[in-house]
């Protein structure tokens, strides 16, 4: 087995590095098989590097840059630095064996995002969940999970929320179906605490919260929840994440990103204004 690369959940920088290396190989007119034959790097490893599934060690990256004729020292230094910066979040490492790969990938992208547009039909968005609500949701959704697995997922969900408190906080625009307010997750006490947390979160200038009322009828979000995220560097294209019983999916094609961005605009239009949405949430909290 080629040990020149280490498997890790993709990060934004690793995704960018993979795209750069694909482009350089294409510009050099080489197939993966040809590169493998001429450098000794395993074809499967090249595939994993070019699809952001592994981070190349420095010697592997240098060998590829040599093969692709990258002689400009500034360009070489830029790509080596990009690889070095592509390491996964340190706090995630203890959970690596417990969390699904796709979820790890999502967390890595979310941590580097500039903004997140999140639609949820049945749950409060993970970035806004209280610990008690998160525990109740995870326990209900994963009935076969052990106590330690549940605790690990709760810990990770809480730690993800640090992105909303950093110096330049993540900008979150969340649209919820009213159903998420009426599903009494964890019992009335837990749900009341969660709704009060939503009200506090919405007071932050980087958080916008809207609710689609039942009377809005059918709307484009009914097939399922999704996230559209963008990143600070224009070199990193927007990304869509969808979550369903069939599995998690990342969409990167421009057409897919545009489609989900347009769907989110329709959901914003169908929802109550942020002020009216907070009135709805407050009224529901008083009922509990």
């Amino acid at each position: 087995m080629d040990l020149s690369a280490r498997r890790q959940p993709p990060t934004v920088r690793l995704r960018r590095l993979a795209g750069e290396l694909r482009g350089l190989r294409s510009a050099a007119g080489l197939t993966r098989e040809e590169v493998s034959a001429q450098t000794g790097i395993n074809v499967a490893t090249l595939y994993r590097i070019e699809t952001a599934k592994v981070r190349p060690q420095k010697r592997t990256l240098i060998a590829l840059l040599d093969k692709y004729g990258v002689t400009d020292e500034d360009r070489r230094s830029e790509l080596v630095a990009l690889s070095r910066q592509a390491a996964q979040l340190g706090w995630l490492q203890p959970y690596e064996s417990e969390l699904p790969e796709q979820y790890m990938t999502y967390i890595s992208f979310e941590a580097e995002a500039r903004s997140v547009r999140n639609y949820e039909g049945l749950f409060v968005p993970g970035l806004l969940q209280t610990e008690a609500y998160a525990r109740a949701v995870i326990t209900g959704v994963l009935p076969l999970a052990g106590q330690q697995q549940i605790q690990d997922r709760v810990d990770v969900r809480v730690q993800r929320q640090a992105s909303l408190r950093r110096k330049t906080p993540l900008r979150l625009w969340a649209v919820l179906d009213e159903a998420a307010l009426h599903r009494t997750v964890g019992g009335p006490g837990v749900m009341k605490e969660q709704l009060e947390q939503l009200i506090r979160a919405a007071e932050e200038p980087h958080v916008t919260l809207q609710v689609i009322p039942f009377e809005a009828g059918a709307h484009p979000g009914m097939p399922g929840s999704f996230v559209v995220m963008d990143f600070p560097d224009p070199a990193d294209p927007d990304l869509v994440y969808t979550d369903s019983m069939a599995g998690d999916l990342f969409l990167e094609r421009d057409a897919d990103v545009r489609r989900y961005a347009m769907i989110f605009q329709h959901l914003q239009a169908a929802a109550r204004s942020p002020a009216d949405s907070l009135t709805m949430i407050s009224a529901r909290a008083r009922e509990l």
Side-chain angles (χ1 to χ4, degrees):
M1 179 179 178
D2 191 327
L3 299 178
S4 61
R6 286 177 282 179
R7 187 173 184 79
Q8 68 167 78
T11 62
V12 172
R13 291 176 180 84
L14 188 61
R15 180 175 168 232
R16 192 194 310 170
L17 179 63
E20 294 278 4
L21 292 175
R22 288 196 307 270
L24 288 170
R25 178 175 59 77
S26 177
L30 296 168
T31 66
R32 289 195 192 103
E33 290 74 16
E34 289 170 336
V35 173
S36 176
Q38 296 170 28
T39 63
I41 301 170
N42 187 281
V43 173
T45 297
L46 284 171
Y47 171 78
R48 293 196 296 272
I49 290 172
E50 290 189 359
T51 54
K53 296 186 183 301
V54 294
R55 180 166 67 98
Q57 290 189 358
K58 185 175 180 179
R59 65 175 180 271
T60 301
L61 179 56
I62 293 300
L64 292 174
L65 297 181
D66 289 343
K67 174 49 58 182
Y68 301 152
V70 180
T71 57
D72 182 86
E73 285 303 320
D74 289 341
R75 180 69 169 138
R76 290 170 71 93
S77 296
E78 175 190 348
L79 293 172
V80 169
L82 194 59
S83 178
R84 186 172 58 249
Q85 296 162 2
Q88 73 179 71
L89 298 172
W91 67 263
L92 264 180
Q93 291 177 358
Y95 305 102
E96 192 167 4
S97 62
E98 299 297 329
L99 298 177
E101 181 181 341
Q102 291 291 78
Y103 185 41
M104 295 273 287
T105 299
Y106 175 80
I107 295 170
S108 295
F109 285 146
E110 180 186 76
E112 298 186 71
R114 177 179 60 183
S115 72
V116 163
R117 286 164 283 174
N118 185 189
Y119 166 72
E120 293 289 348
L122 297 175
F123 305 109
V124 168
L127 285 169
L128 300 177
Q129 291 179 9
T130 65
E131 185 171 343
Y133 181 96
R135 188 180 308 279
V137 164
I138 293 165
T139 301
V141 171
L142 301 174
L144 301 181
Q147 288 303 308
Q148 188 57 53
Q149 289 176 295
I150 292 172
Q151 185 60 52
D152 286 345
R153 285 177 176 257
V154 171
D155 291 344
V156 167
R157 191 156 300 183
V158 170
Q159 290 194 65
R160 280 173 52 201
Q161 297 172 6
S163 61
L164 294 173
R165 300 187 296 272
R166 64 197 185 198
K167 185 175 180 180
T168 303
L170 175 71
R171 297 203 301 265
L172 172 64
W173 195 308
V175 177
L176 289 69
D177 192 284
E178 188 178 354
L181 307 182
H182 289 273
R183 186 169 298 280
T184 312
V185 174
V190 169
M191 195 64 199
K192 180 178 175 63
E193 178 191 38
Q194 176 62 75
L195 295 177
E196 290 170 345
Q197 164 61 14
L198 285 181
I199 295 169
R200 288 192 297 272
E203 294 173 350
E204 297 292 336
H206 54 279
V207 176
T208 303
L209 189 60
Q210 289 184 268
V211 178
I212 300 177
F214 286 141
E215 60 261 30
H219 60 74
M222 293 178 72
S225 63
F226 64 91
V227 171
V228 181
M229 59 179 77
D230 64 24
F231 304 94
D233 195 314
D236 301 317
D238 293 0
L239 185 69
V240 171
Y241 171 78
T242 65
D243 181 14
S244 71
M245 292 288 285
D248 303 347
L249 186 64
F250 290 96
L251 304 173
E252 302 182 63
R253 292 191 314 160
D254 287 345
D256 290 326
V257 173
R258 285 197 303 270
R259 178 163 60 90
Y260 274 90
M262 186 172 296
I263 289 173
F264 195 81
Q265 289 178 346
H266 282 286
L267 295 174
Q268 290 171 303
R272 295 278 179 86
S273 70
D276 289 346
S277 295
L278 288 184
T279 299
M280 289 178 65
I281 295 170
S282 298
R284 175 59 181 151
R286 288 195 298 270
E287 291 176 2
L288 296 168

